[in-house]
Structure formats: C-alpha cells, structure tokens
Amino acid sequence: MTRVSLDDADVRILGFLQEDATLSVAAVAAKANMSQNACWRRIKRLEESGVISRRVTILDASALGLDLTVFVSLRASEHSEAWLEMLNSAIRDIPEVVEFYRMTGDVDYLLKLRVENMAAYDAVYRRIIRSIRLTDVSSAFSMEEIKYTTALPLTARPS
C-alpha cells in the first residue's frame, strides 16, 4: 500500500474518528472546525485511499467474560509454503486468537488469545497442536492490562 500524505485537518478528523467512529460528519466537521462538505470529502478520500479501512464497535472483553489474555509463542517445525498455509488456515479458524504475527528471533509466531479461563485456553492449545506440527509452544498469561488502545499515533505528513 502506498503511504498517504496527511495534513493537520486529516489528522484532526482521524483522531476524532479513532475515538468515536459513530460521530456524524456534522459533529466531526464542527470539532475539526471545517464545513460539513469539506469534512465529508476528506473522510471519503481517507476511506478510498485505505487510511480508514473499516469502522467497528470495540467490545469490552471482561464484560463478555473473556478475562484471560494469553500470549502464545510458536516455534515452527518447518518453514515451507505448504506448512505456512496450513498454519494460517488453522489459526484463522480459531476465534479466540485475536492477533497473529510472524516474528523474528527465537519465536517464529506470536498469538494473542482472549479466553474465559484456563480450561478455555487449554481447549485452544489442544486445537492448535492437533492442527499443525510445531517444535515448541510456550504461553505467557497477562496479570494486568496496563495500556490498551486501537488508536494509532497520528502526525501530519505532507507530500
């Protein structure tokens, strides 16, 4: 994807929408100190360029009983395209995996899970090891969430 240039007005608009995507164009325009039409055009451009990829509702995991956050480190048993596709397919179908990364260093892949409790984690663990051959699976359990945000840092970057 091509990097998109942002000016101060774009950054203000994105900041407001990152905080509350339900704001109307009129509300965003008023907060950004611009006309509704100008604000609407900017939002459309930001959507079309892929800067705004989607608008979602963020749920409270604890309110849903998903109190355990687990970081699972995976070490691959091999590094072939076929194995990678099998891993991607297996992990993609596990809803408790909320984030999935390919890493550098000693760990090949890192997963973030949100589950109810240790038994729910164990069920996911067993599903993973049944689905794909791994050299090592190591898990760390979060004791406290100190910072969580979906908001990205924004700065104006002229073209």
Side-chain angles (χ1 to χ4, degrees):
M1 175 178 265
T2 305
R3 185 172 176 165
V4 176
S5 297
L6 303 175
D7 62 18
D8 290 333
D10 293 331
V11 168
R12 286 194 311 275
I13 289 168
L14 291 169
F16 299 136
L17 291 175
Q18 282 193 118
E19 272 305 307
D20 184 358
T22 66
L23 289 173
S24 66
V25 172
V28 174
K31 286 174 164 274
N33 197 25
M34 65 178 56
S35 74
Q36 288 185 45
N37 284 340
C39 185
W40 179 84
R41 283 192 304 273
R42 283 176 177 271
I43 291 171
K44 277 299 193 205
R45 180 179 51 80
L46 292 165
E47 289 173 338
E48 290 167 0
S49 67
V51 171
I52 298 174
S53 61
R54 59 192 169 130
R55 298 180 193 212
V56 299
T57 299
I58 298 171
L59 307 178
D60 185 309
S62 293
L64 297 170
L66 301 171
D67 294 320
L68 188 58
T69 302
V70 186
F71 296 93
V72 181
S73 301
L74 305 177
R75 294 187 66 210
S77 62
E78 62 180 273
H79 295 276
S80 68
E81 283 292 324
W83 185 91
L84 179 58
E85 183 49 43
M86 284 176 31
L87 174 67
N88 287 343
S89 178
I91 300 302
R92 188 177 24 246
D93 292 338
I94 301 173
E96 294 86 353
V97 176
V98 295
E99 296 180 39
F100 177 30
Y101 301 95
R102 186 165 53 126
M103 307 295 289
T104 63
D106 292 336
V107 171
D108 295 312
Y109 300 92
L110 180 67
L111 312 176
K112 179 181 176 184
L113 281 62
R114 290 304 299 248
V115 293
E116 288 182 28
N117 52 37
M118 192 62 74
Y121 162 72
D122 190 53
V124 173
Y125 166 81
R126 290 173 185 276
R127 184 172 176 188
I128 291 169
I129 63 170
R130 267 194 314 269
S131 302
I132 191 86
R133 198 169 79 246
L134 298 161
T135 299
D136 184 51
V137 179
S138 178
S139 299
F141 300 89
S142 171
M143 293 174 52
E144 177 184 12
E145 183 177 86
I146 297 169
K147 179 180 178 180
Y148 170 79
T149 183
T150 60
L152 297 175
L154 298 169
T155 54
R157 291 187 178 99
S159 45

XYZ file of all heavy atoms in Angstrom, residues 8-17 20-44 46 55:
282
model
N -2.787 18.566 8.705
C -3.301 18.738 10.067
C -4.795 18.463 10.164
O -5.262 17.883 11.146
C -2.994 20.152 10.582
C -1.505 20.356 10.858
O -0.812 19.361 11.146
O -1.047 21.514 10.786
N -5.556 18.871 9.153
C -7.013 18.636 9.176
C -7.319 17.142 9.120
O -8.203 16.652 9.843
C -7.687 19.375 8.025
N -6.591 16.400 8.274
C -6.775 14.940 8.210
C -6.490 14.304 9.568
O -7.233 13.440 10.032
C -5.828 14.306 7.174
C -6.139 14.692 5.744
O -7.318 14.965 5.436
O -5.194 14.711 4.930
N -5.412 14.734 10.202
C -5.023 14.188 11.497
C -6.102 14.469 12.542
O -6.453 13.589 13.335
C -3.647 14.749 11.935
C -3.352 14.430 13.390
C -2.543 14.193 11.034
N -6.665 15.679 12.537
C -7.745 16.004 13.480
C -8.956 15.105 13.241
O -9.506 14.520 14.176
C -8.146 17.481 13.371
C -7.139 18.433 13.988
C -7.693 19.845 14.172
N -8.355 20.413 13.007
C -7.747 21.052 12.010
N -6.435 21.212 12.034
N -8.437 21.553 11.000
N -9.353 14.968 11.979
C -10.508 14.128 11.627
C -10.265 12.692 12.075
O -11.118 12.074 12.724
C -10.798 14.199 10.112
C -11.355 15.572 9.746
C -11.749 13.079 9.685
C -11.396 15.834 8.249
N -9.111 12.147 11.739
C -8.800 10.762 12.106
C -8.758 10.584 13.613
O -9.203 9.562 14.136
C -7.484 10.328 11.464
C -7.517 10.173 9.942
C -6.105 10.001 9.402
C -8.420 9.040 9.531
N -8.236 11.554 14.310
C -8.202 11.482 15.771
C -9.590 11.398 16.363
O -9.863 10.578 17.252
N -10.503 12.225 15.860
C -11.882 12.183 16.361
C -12.552 10.854 16.028
O -13.242 10.275 16.865
C -12.714 13.338 15.770
C -12.192 14.704 16.119
C -12.108 15.688 15.145
C -11.765 15.013 17.399
C -11.626 16.956 15.447
C -11.276 16.276 17.716
C -11.208 17.250 16.733
N -12.342 10.358 14.817
C -12.977 9.094 14.406
C -12.369 7.888 15.125
O -13.073 6.917 15.385
C -12.898 8.918 12.892
C -13.771 9.885 12.091
C -13.531 9.701 10.595
C -15.249 9.707 12.425
N -14.236 7.906 18.402
C -15.663 7.601 18.313
C -16.091 7.574 16.849
O -16.400 8.622 16.260
C -16.478 8.638 19.092
C -17.967 8.330 19.123
O -18.398 7.328 18.502
O -18.701 9.094 19.768
N -16.128 6.385 16.262
C -16.482 6.240 14.845
C -17.962 6.471 14.582
O -18.377 6.531 13.434
C -16.072 4.855 14.340
N -18.763 6.626 15.641
C -20.192 6.870 15.445
C -20.512 8.352 15.263
O -21.663 8.697 15.009
C -21.025 6.340 16.640
O -20.699 7.094 17.815
C -20.778 4.851 16.858
N -19.506 9.217 15.382
C -19.748 10.646 15.191
C -20.279 10.907 13.786
O -19.787 10.331 12.810
C -18.456 11.448 15.389
C -17.908 11.571 16.802
C -16.548 12.254 16.776
C -18.870 12.325 17.697
N -21.248 11.777 13.686
C -21.760 12.168 12.374
C -20.736 13.058 11.684
O -19.842 13.624 12.331
C -23.075 12.936 12.535
O -22.827 14.177 13.190
N -20.870 13.204 10.372
C -19.985 14.104 9.632
C -20.122 15.515 10.196
O -19.123 16.228 10.355
C -20.296 14.068 8.119
C -19.515 15.148 7.385
C -19.980 12.695 7.539
N -21.341 15.913 10.543
C -21.558 17.254 11.100
C -20.786 17.430 12.407
O -20.159 18.473 12.632
C -23.050 17.491 11.325
N -20.794 16.418 13.257
C -20.086 16.503 14.537
C -18.575 16.549 14.322
O -17.872 17.326 14.977
C -20.464 15.333 15.433
N -18.077 15.727 13.415
C -16.634 15.731 13.129
C -16.232 17.078 12.543
O -15.221 17.672 12.937
C -16.244 14.577 12.176
C -14.777 14.681 11.775
C -16.519 13.224 12.809
N -17.042 17.583 11.609
C -16.755 18.883 10.981
C -16.704 19.991 12.026
O -15.796 20.833 11.999
C -17.795 19.189 9.913
N -17.655 19.983 12.947
C -17.676 21.014 13.990
C -16.429 20.914 14.868
O -15.790 21.928 15.171
C -18.942 20.873 14.833
N -16.050 19.691 15.256
C -14.865 19.508 16.102
C -13.585 19.901 15.353
O -12.637 20.402 15.958
C -14.753 18.046 16.552
C -15.760 17.643 17.616
C -15.633 16.136 17.864
C -16.284 15.704 19.131
N -15.434 15.833 20.299
N -13.562 19.631 14.036
C -12.374 19.917 13.227
C -12.359 21.351 12.703
O -11.419 21.749 12.020
C -12.289 18.935 12.063
N -13.442 22.085 12.994
C -13.549 23.490 12.582
C -13.491 23.636 11.062
O -12.672 24.379 10.524
C -12.463 24.328 13.261
C -12.772 25.802 13.210
O -13.932 26.192 13.104
N -11.742 26.627 13.270
N -14.370 22.883 10.369
C -14.456 22.981 8.910
C -15.889 22.747 8.478
O -16.727 22.309 9.279
C -13.507 21.991 8.226
C -13.831 20.522 8.456
S -12.738 19.382 7.579
C -11.154 19.863 8.139
N -16.184 23.007 7.224
C -17.545 22.794 6.717
C -17.839 21.303 6.620
O -16.919 20.480 6.504
C -17.713 23.451 5.344
O -17.041 22.687 4.356
N -19.118 20.959 6.644
C -19.510 19.553 6.529
C -19.069 18.965 5.191
O -18.612 17.826 5.135
C -21.027 19.406 6.703
C -21.486 19.614 8.119
C -22.974 19.340 8.273
O -23.472 18.347 7.751
N -23.655 20.216 8.994
N -19.228 19.729 4.115
C -18.843 19.221 2.795
C -17.348 18.936 2.719
O -16.933 17.895 2.205
C -19.251 20.200 1.684
C -20.730 20.138 1.396
O -21.396 19.159 1.725
N -21.263 21.193 0.791
N -16.544 19.863 3.223
C -15.095 19.657 3.194
C -14.716 18.447 4.048
O -13.880 17.623 3.649
C -14.379 20.910 3.689
N -15.355 18.310 5.191
C -15.083 17.172 6.079
C -15.497 15.865 5.416
O -14.743 14.889 5.428
C -15.819 17.386 7.397
S -15.468 16.123 8.637
N -16.681 15.848 4.810
C -17.180 14.644 4.132
C -16.225 14.226 3.024
O -15.899 13.046 2.879
C -18.577 14.894 3.580
C -19.125 13.714 2.859
C -19.763 12.638 3.397
C -19.073 13.478 1.440
N -20.112 11.738 2.416
C -19.700 12.225 1.204
C -18.555 14.191 0.362
C -19.820 11.691 -0.075
C -18.678 13.640 -0.905
C -19.305 12.397 -1.107
N -15.738 15.214 2.215
C -14.806 14.903 1.118
C -13.508 14.306 1.665
O -12.970 13.348 1.106
C -14.511 16.154 0.281
C -15.638 16.517 -0.680
C -15.207 17.576 -1.693
N -14.694 18.789 -1.074
C -15.452 19.820 -0.679
N -16.759 19.773 -0.835
N -14.892 20.887 -0.141
N -13.024 14.855 2.753
C -11.793 14.334 3.345
C -11.997 12.907 3.870
O -11.156 12.038 3.668
C -11.306 15.247 4.482
C -10.643 16.503 3.987
C -10.270 17.405 5.155
N -9.575 18.589 4.717
C -8.251 18.690 4.565
N -7.480 17.653 4.849
N -7.702 19.806 4.161
N -13.106 12.667 4.554
C -13.380 11.319 5.059
C -13.481 10.340 3.905
O -12.909 9.236 3.952
C -14.655 11.306 5.935
C -14.398 12.067 7.240
C -15.086 9.871 6.232
C -15.642 12.308 8.082
N -14.173 10.724 2.838
C -14.288 9.855 1.650
C -12.901 9.548 1.066
O -12.614 8.403 0.706
C -15.167 10.510 0.578
C -16.622 10.300 0.802
C -16.880 8.830 0.756
C -18.302 8.457 0.662
N -18.521 7.117 1.206
N -10.045 9.611 2.633
C -9.328 8.752 3.576
C -9.828 7.305 3.506
O -9.052 6.366 3.655
C -9.451 9.311 4.997
C -8.703 10.636 5.227
C -9.168 11.293 6.518
C -7.202 10.419 5.221
N -14.942 0.614 10.008
C -15.415 1.179 11.270
C -16.028 0.044 12.065
O -16.832 -0.715 11.539
C -16.445 2.271 11.015
C -15.856 3.421 10.220
C -16.861 4.490 9.974
N -16.377 5.423 8.978
C -16.688 6.691 8.971
N -17.480 7.184 9.882
N -16.221 7.470 8.030
